Amino acid sequence: MCRSICGLIDELVYPECRLTEMGKEYIGTVNVTKNGKPCLRWDSPDVKSSYKTVGKGFYEGMFFEEHFLNQDPSSHENFCRNPSRNDMPWCFVNDGGFTWEYCWIPFCDDLKAPECKKTQKGAEYMGTQNKAIHGSPCLAWLGEQGLSPELRFAMKGQAFPDSITDEHNYCRNPTGRPGGPWCKVPGSEENWEYCDVRFCAMEDAERTCETEDRCSSSESQVTGIYPECRMTSMGKEYRGTHSQTESGKTCKKWYSISLIIHTQDLLNPLFPYRPYHERHLASLDFENHAFEIIMKQDENYCRNPVRAERPWCIVSLEPFGWEYCDIPFCLRPKEPLECQLTTMGLEYAGFKNTDADGRKCQPWLGRANDKRFSVMNIMTISDEGIDSSHNYCRNPDANGYGLWCFTEEGTGERWGHCMVPFCYQLYERIAVEGKIMTGKPAEGYPECLQTAMGKGYVGTTRKTKTGKPCLRWDSQPYGKPEDFDSNATYEVHFRFGNSTLHQDFCRNPTLRHQPWCFVQEPHIEWEFCQIPFCPNYPNKTECRWTKEGEEYAGTRNKSSSGLPCKRWDEFESQIAFWPRFPEDVKSEKHNFCRNPSMEEEGPYCYISSADKEFCDIPFCPFQYLY
């Protein structure tokens, strides 16, 4: 077979060819035998129930999963592999009966193993790196290291892509550790460290597509603008409001996992990403942390809080059941936004790598044995792939304070919080600097009015209708105007309860006819601003610009569970927040979803005299940020 690389060139480049006679390192996409028979999936029921009697070379003392690179048969789909140290790659077939056949995999033009990994766990790596991330020399795999699982694997040779000699001390991943190749090191408390093995260049990784169709399969799905779509296959960064599975089932709220009786049912989907010998020995810390992170997911929206194939959700509790969701891919480009949508920042996949004090972040894999990071390891990090170069701000332990990273070695605090702006703040900064799109002013929401009064205006106009520059709201140059509520503080009149965040932008924190601002001239004090109506006026924009969505002025009047909302004028306690509504809620009687009390989860409404529920208000498209 001579593979076509997306129709551009023909060459035999790893991984679509083998480097060795045995080809244990082969992870290409050939899925037919040399006789042209289609291969069966390695995780199919026939294979898993009969591999010992039908297959050849499987080791009696190992579990089926342990024979495979990365210890995950499902990830190898139905591609030709050599998990049993046969003469060359092969696969199971159904040829009038369950049997197996060799595959014809050609040798690569360059037989030198690449000094990089192709998969997250990197068990296919056959390079010569023999030092850990921090420079410690690797010990020989067959050295005197006790009867550890690693040593038992090494002696069997099943879990290595190459042959093990007495001197072999190269970085490998025989146990399927989630961070990639590692080795035993002297003097370490844990006695092992990850190695400095990085992902192969993206242009090389893209060459794994076998046909034109395979190359373009993901392109056919690009349909949306983040965050109501996924930028990656795994979609860990997805923060939209889709709440149905591929089969049409309605998702259950994430916090409902607290009702699950058989906790193992929930944890089983997490285990394929862990080394196999650890999967049935989950510590209580791991179990508790897994539950905590899953429960923190939003409402019943499709998410990927672990490392599943793509976003999913819970569909039943007893018995426990979950299904994948059909979340479309985002329009190109797929570069991550350099901002966060939520306080915890679990969706952030940007490249910030210094903490708030300017200290350089350390690679996460270099701190794999740190107690704060080791419980969940990289399972919760938003990136699909993580290697020894990954030192970006993340929140792997779902800390309530948000993004953080490990910093330099030494005594004292060895980690710090990161300062990553919220997406609405990034938009404001870009707008103020005049760099939106081609330098022209932005059009449409949020730079327009949805109502004449404009209480929900969140744009960046900062001049009055006569061209006077606005003063900052937190300067209060003329004190507290008379039309501000005397029973409420000055700050309460502003979204987020903080006038500083509104800088010098035109706003309407009271009930004036349209947005306005303070000006420098004392005899005038303030003046209206001239802001156009939105193109769809008088219709409302049915999305939110911030996580809290206090600015939302749309007409959604059902909760996320579909229950009708009660009118706000039925709840005196909420009317006390009147300045925070995007309209004059005292005179406009409505039951639309709002967030006057600054709930972190976003807009909500009351469905009874005592109960409130949050609403499915999607984020607005962030096209201005690309």
Side-chain angles (χ1 to χ4, degrees), residues 207-392:
R207 294 179 176 182
T208 60
C209 47
E210 186 177 15
T211 67
E212 187 71 28
D213 288 341
R214 189 174 181 85
C215 291
S216 61
S217 60
S218 62
E219 295 290 340
S220 64
Q221 301 181 62
V222 290
T223 57
I225 299 177
Y226 187 75
E228 287 296 329
C229 53
R230 53 181 166 138
M231 290 188 287
T232 62
S233 178
M234 198 175 285
K236 289 181 65 63
E237 79 293 334
Y238 173 69
R239 284 300 178 274
T241 55
H242 195 81
S243 59
Q244 278 195 335
T245 68
E246 290 175 335
S247 66
K249 293 186 177 72
T250 300
C251 300
K252 291 189 174 296
K253 293 185 183 292
W254 290 99
Y255 63 70
S256 66
I257 65 168
S258 60
L259 303 175
I260 294 176
I261 298 175
H262 301 97
T263 59
Q264 199 65 37
D265 291 341
L266 174 65
L267 295 177
N268 280 338
L270 310 184
F271 287 149
Y273 206 70
R274 293 165 65 85
Y276 193 83
H277 65 277
E278 295 180 7
R279 294 180 195 177
H280 301 289
L281 300 173
S283 67
L284 185 60
D285 281 346
F286 175 84
E287 183 175 325
N288 290 340
H289 203 178
F291 269 78
E292 179 184 355
I293 287 175
I294 291 175
M295 289 183 68
K296 286 181 178 179
Q297 302 304 307
D298 304 314
E299 291 293 292
N300 65 334
Y301 307 142
C302 298
R303 296 286 184 264
N304 192 359
V306 290
R307 295 192 72 82
E309 182 180 324
R310 55 189 185 277
W312 57 281
C313 70
I314 300 170
V315 295
S316 63
L317 299 177
E318 289 297 330
F320 174 76
W322 63 276
E323 291 185 8
Y324 285 118
C325 302
D326 186 14
I327 307 299
F329 281 94
C330 297
L331 290 164
R332 303 283 189 179
K334 286 187 176 181
E335 288 83 2
L337 296 177
E338 281 300 335
C339 57
Q340 62 187 86
L341 294 172
T342 65
T343 303
M344 286 198 294
L346 298 178
E347 75 290 342
Y348 176 68
F351 303 126
K352 177 80 173 179
N353 62 357
T354 56
D355 74 353
D357 295 325
R359 295 180 296 180
K360 188 77 171 180
C361 295
Q362 300 297 305
W364 291 103
L365 296 186
R367 303 296 289 273
N369 294 318
D370 192 291
K371 185 176 181 181
R372 181 172 181 183
F373 183 55
S374 62
V375 175
M376 290 297 282
N377 207 303
I378 65 175
M379 191 174 296
T380 54
I381 288 182
S382 56
D383 309 76
E384 284 195 298
I386 301 167
D387 63 15
S388 56
S389 67
H390 190 293
N391 67 338
Y392 308 123

Side-chain angles (χ1 to χ4, degrees), residues 24-44:
K24 278 192 66 66
E25 80 291 339
Y26 175 71
I27 55 169
T29 55
V30 172
N31 60 3
V32 295
T33 69
K34 60 183 180 180
N35 294 321
K37 296 185 179 70
C39 296
L40 299 177
R41 285 189 62 96
W42 292 101
D43 59 351
S44 69

Side-chain angles (χ1 to χ4, degrees), residues 518-589:
F518 293 115
V519 295
Q520 191 66 55
E521 302 175 27
H523 65 285
I524 298 178
E525 294 190 358
W526 65 272
E527 197 169 81
F528 285 122
C529 302
Q530 191 70 43
I531 300 169
F533 286 107
C534 291
N536 61 338
Y537 179 83
N539 295 326
K540 306 299 190 297
T541 301
E542 294 296 338
C543 59
R544 56 191 165 120
W545 191 242
T546 63
K547 165 65 175 173
E548 292 81 4
E550 287 185 68
E551 76 289 345
Y552 173 69
T555 57
R556 172 78 181 183
N557 61 2
K558 289 184 178 181
S559 70
S560 60
S561 61
L563 296 175
C565 298
K566 297 288 187 181
R567 279 176 37 163
W568 287 100
D569 60 354
E570 297 179 24
F571 304 94
E572 289 296 328
S573 61
Q574 297 301 304
I575 297 300
F577 291 106
W578 72 264
R580 306 287 278 278
F581 283 84
E583 63 275 297
D584 180 8
V585 74
K586 290 182 176 180
S587 59
E588 296 182 26
K589 311 301 181 183

Side-chain angles (χ1 to χ4, degrees), residues 473-514:
W473 289 102
D474 55 6
S475 68
Q476 272 188 266
Y478 309 110
K480 185 178 176 182
E482 292 183 359
D483 57 343
F484 276 60
D485 192 332
S486 60
N487 296 319
T489 65
Y490 178 79
E491 299 294 319
V492 164
H493 292 74
F494 296 87
R495 281 187 306 112
F496 310 118
N498 188 337
S499 61
T500 301
L501 294 177
H502 298 272
Q503 303 182 45
D504 56 352
F505 303 136
C506 295
R507 295 289 184 262
N508 189 1
T510 56
L511 296 177
R512 297 182 183 177
H513 298 306
Q514 62 195 71

